[in-house]
Amino acid sequence: MSKLISLLLALFVIRTTVVILNFIAEYRFEYLQKEATADFFQKTYESLQKLSIERLISEKGGEYISKILSDGEMAGIVVSGFLPSILLNLLRFLVVIAVLVYLNPILGIISVIFIPFYFFVFKKYSKGIIESSQEERISYANVLESLKEKIEGLPIAIFYKQENFLIKKFLFDIKEWLKNIRKVIFNMKAYTASYSYLSAIFPLVIFGVGAVLVSIGRTDIGTMIAFYLYSENLFEPLSNFSKNLGAFSQVIPPFSRVLTIIETTYTAPDGTRTLRELKSISLNGLTVKYGDKEVLDNINLKLDFINNVNIAIVGYSGSGKSTLVRFLSGYFDSERCLINDVPITAYSKKSLRKYILLVSNTDFIFGMTVRENLSMGENFSEEEMEYALKLCGLNFGREFLNTKVGEGGKALSTGERQRLALARAILRKPTLLILDEALSGVDAETENVIFKNIKAIIPNLIVISHRLSTVLQCREIYVLDKGKIAAIGTHEELLASCSTYRDIIKEQLIENRNNDVSAKA
Ligand SMILES: Nc1ncnc2c1ncn2[C@@H]1O[C@H](COP(=O)(O)OP(=O)(O)OP(=O)(O)O)[C@@H](O)[C@H]1O
Ligand SMILES: [Mg+2]
């Protein structure tokens, strides 16, 4: 009796321990899996930070989000469960084969002959699975991109009472995705059906061969039945193995999409030279194309900083002004842009940023405090930050530094947002500041005052502005026309010699007159 009780007790302890250990193991495994996914998100985002700006902005935002969140998670989960499962099934498979060969060597060898059939089935379907999964991932990225756009654009659609317009567009993208999902599911299920069919048929073959062996007296019926029953255990690991291979094929596309981020890390190597003095910037036959469209056509120029540079760039909308200054500032990289006669790509970006900054009217404002938008993690004193804000006409006292500006700066007016972006650059006191319509959202009078403030503290300025009053404050004016520099000179010189400049000025003068009229009204 006491033996029975101690046996029961031992069983109770063993079973309880197994449940507890199982709970801990499963909890740890699942948590580790999520932790690995989170780590993966971080690593991929870090890789994203090493891309060139040009590449970064050429791809859709939804594409990156789907790569990092969806593709990354999908690939991570399957792969993390994949290895243990493969090892387990391989082990089971080897043990079963050994037992079968022990039971009956002939039947054992026949069982092994079935293995290539599974690989044949896999080979037949894997291409289709990979291709359809690839298309599915692309269309899923489109759905995310589309959703992002349809949410951001919803206020304007509601205002125009055209919500249906967006629904229809969104539905189109969803349907495209569903169509591709259907292909993936079809391929996966056809593959599953095929290997399951093999697993259902082969035991019958074994049974048949076994029966023949019994009839010719090569084995006894007991061994044959034991063999048949045991052989069932052979096909389960084979099926699991096939299932893993299928799942693996399905995650190849998400995996390789994620790798496109990680691999391209090396497309934007940072230079090793440290810029210590800004002597000159030149463009050496810079031609820029967007698709087939030529935006800059063999631009050659040299700016010497021996005397202070003070340039306005004017030109019709679409003439290439923004593109030009993006290359001049190193926002976009080109071997054809030289700093002190050395390609800009040779310099470390960090050292370049101490000397050259570009501010445009669409510069990003983070949904953080004014202080964080200004410092972006660097150390500046409150006095410095307040002073920079003041120069930009944001005289709201020190408390303003702690103001949260809302997502994308939506709690600020357009002009305030632009001035905050400008203060961010001024705070860093660059040797050369390039402004691309940086103050288009403020009134002409305010732009004038801010521009004067900037001129007093920043030694070199290049300005793109549609305001004549700002252009007139610059010593030299570059006229850009259809991607070429049409003329360079002072306002008076260009009025006398350049018809394009006269036309541009005429239009801007009209704009100014209108402003004057509205100002007086
Ligand atoms: N990412 C892009 N993809 C395709 N085309 C582009 C892209 N960026 C600019 N373009 C085209 O390049 C041309 C020059 O653009 P850019 O922004 O340099 O002109 P801009 O002179 O600054 O015009 P604006 O005065 O209107 O700001 C435009 O015709 C524009 O359509
Ligand atoms: Mg522009």
Side-chain angles (χ1 to χ4, degrees), residues 44-257:
T44 332
Y45 180 69
E46 278 170 8
S47 305
L48 210 58
Q49 295 195 324
K50 288 175 189 135
L51 296 184
S52 70
I53 297 177
E54 199 163 7
R55 206 200 124 92
L56 201 53
I57 62 176
S58 69
E59 196 158 5
K60 297 173 186 168
E63 182 76 8
Y64 286 126
I65 293 172
S66 80
K67 277 179 183 172
I68 295 179
L69 293 184
S70 162
D71 295 355
E73 187 164 21
M74 196 172 153
I77 284 176
V78 174
V79 173
S80 56
F82 183 67
L83 256 184
S85 175
I86 284 210
L87 289 177
L88 199 72
N89 283 308
L90 197 66
L91 198 70
R92 272 181 70 187
F93 182 75
L94 291 176
V95 170
V96 173
I97 287 279
V99 173
L100 290 179
V101 171
Y102 170 75
L103 283 176
N104 186 311
I106 300 176
L107 279 176
I109 288 165
I110 288 177
S111 313
V112 181
I113 288 171
F114 296 139
I115 298 172
F117 286 90
Y118 286 84
F119 283 100
F120 173 72
V121 165
F122 171 69
K123 204 162 172 281
K124 181 166 161 45
Y125 285 103
S126 61
K127 198 165 165 248
I129 294 173
I130 293 173
E131 278 173 5
S132 55
S133 162
Q134 209 161 23
E135 282 168 21
E136 185 274 326
R137 287 289 88 192
I138 294 169
S139 57
Y140 183 68
N142 281 342
V143 168
L144 285 190
E145 175 68 22
S146 171
L147 181 63
K148 189 166 150 268
E149 187 193 41
K150 301 318 176 269
I151 291 173
E152 281 171 4
L154 199 51
I156 194 79
I158 292 175
F159 179 71
Y160 277 85
K161 288 311 296 167
Q162 291 300 337
E163 298 90 333
N164 264 346
F165 165 69
L166 293 190
I167 282 279
K168 275 187 199 150
K169 291 266 183 195
F170 187 45
L171 272 182
F172 178 81
D173 292 324
I174 292 179
K175 279 191 181 145
E176 197 57 29
W177 174 57
L178 270 182
K179 200 172 84 190
N180 288 318
I181 276 277
R182 205 158 51 219
K183 278 193 214 160
V184 176
I185 296 177
F186 177 83
N187 280 315
M188 285 297 280
K189 293 303 161 195
Y191 171 59
T192 310
S194 303
Y195 69 69
S196 304
Y197 181 69
L198 295 184
S199 298
I201 293 302
F202 288 153
L204 299 183
V205 177
I206 288 177
F207 192 83
V209 176
V212 171
L213 290 181
V214 171
S215 70
I216 60 172
R218 294 291 296 266
T219 188
D220 60 280
I221 192 143
T223 310
M224 184 215 128
I225 288 178
F227 190 97
Y228 172 73
L229 290 177
Y230 210 78
S231 72
E232 293 281 348
N233 290 311
L234 179 72
F235 297 107
E236 201 190 316
L238 269 175
S239 289
N240 287 342
F241 203 69
S242 302
K243 191 170 146 194
N244 279 330
L245 282 180
F248 191 63
S249 306
Q250 202 188 342
V251 296
I252 287 175
F255 232 176
S256 51
R257 278 163 58 82

Side-chain angles (χ1 to χ4, degrees), residues 2-69:
S2 67
K3 257 191 178 173
L4 189 67
I5 289 175
S6 44
L7 191 70
L8 276 176
L9 257 176
L11 272 177
F12 174 77
V13 170
I14 289 171
R15 287 190 183 179
T16 310
T17 316
V18 166
V19 168
I20 292 172
L21 285 181
N22 209 23
F23 165 76
I24 295 173
E26 287 204 358
Y27 163 77
R28 282 301 298 163
F29 182 70
E30 191 142 344
Y31 179 70
L32 277 179
Q33 214 173 40
K34 293 288 173 216
E35 204 177 42
T37 308
D39 190 50
F40 183 81
F41 288 169
Q42 186 197 332
K43 291 272 165 14
T44 332
Y45 180 69
E46 278 170 8
S47 305
L48 210 58
Q49 295 195 324
K50 288 175 189 135
L51 296 184
S52 70
I53 297 177
E54 199 163 7
R55 206 200 124 92
L56 201 53
I57 62 176
S58 69
E59 196 158 5
K60 297 173 186 168
E63 182 76 8
Y64 286 126
I65 293 172
S66 80
K67 277 179 183 172
I68 295 179
L69 293 184

Side-chain angles (χ1 to χ4, degrees), residues 392-508:
C392 296
L394 294 171
N395 287 315
F396 301 136
R398 198 158 288 188
E399 252 319 287
F400 184 54
L401 289 175
N402 298 324
T403 306
K404 284 199 169 165
V405 298
E407 188 193 338
K410 68 179 173 194
L412 299 174
S413 75
T414 308
E416 286 167 347
R417 256 195 313 270
Q418 291 181 354
R419 283 180 284 167
L420 177 56
L422 184 58
R424 175 159 64 197
I426 288 177
L427 180 64
R428 288 164 169 79
K429 301 194 186 80
T431 312
L432 166 64
L433 180 61
I434 307 181
L435 304 179
D436 184 358
E437 297 183 43
L439 290 167
S440 61
V442 303
D443 58 274
E445 185 55 34
T446 310
E447 172 167 332
N448 229 326
V449 172
I450 296 172
F451 193 58
K452 279 198 180 107
N453 290 342
I454 299 173
K455 262 173 80 172
I457 63 155
I458 307 282
N460 302 288
L461 285 167
I462 298 177
V463 182
I464 299 173
S465 171
H466 284 293
R467 293 218 170 89
L468 184 67
S469 52
T470 303
V471 173
L472 288 180
Q473 285 197 52
C474 298
R475 207 178 321 125
E476 228 179 357
I477 300 163
Y478 282 55
V479 182
L480 205 62
D481 193 19
K482 298 187 192 96
K484 280 182 184 295
I485 296 174
I488 301 174
T490 63
H491 177 65
E492 287 73 23
E493 285 165 0
L494 291 172
L495 275 185
S497 64
C498 178
S499 61
T500 311
Y501 185 70
R502 274 198 299 274
D503 289 345
I504 292 167
I505 289 303
K506 206 154 59 184
E507 283 159 28
Q508 290 196 346

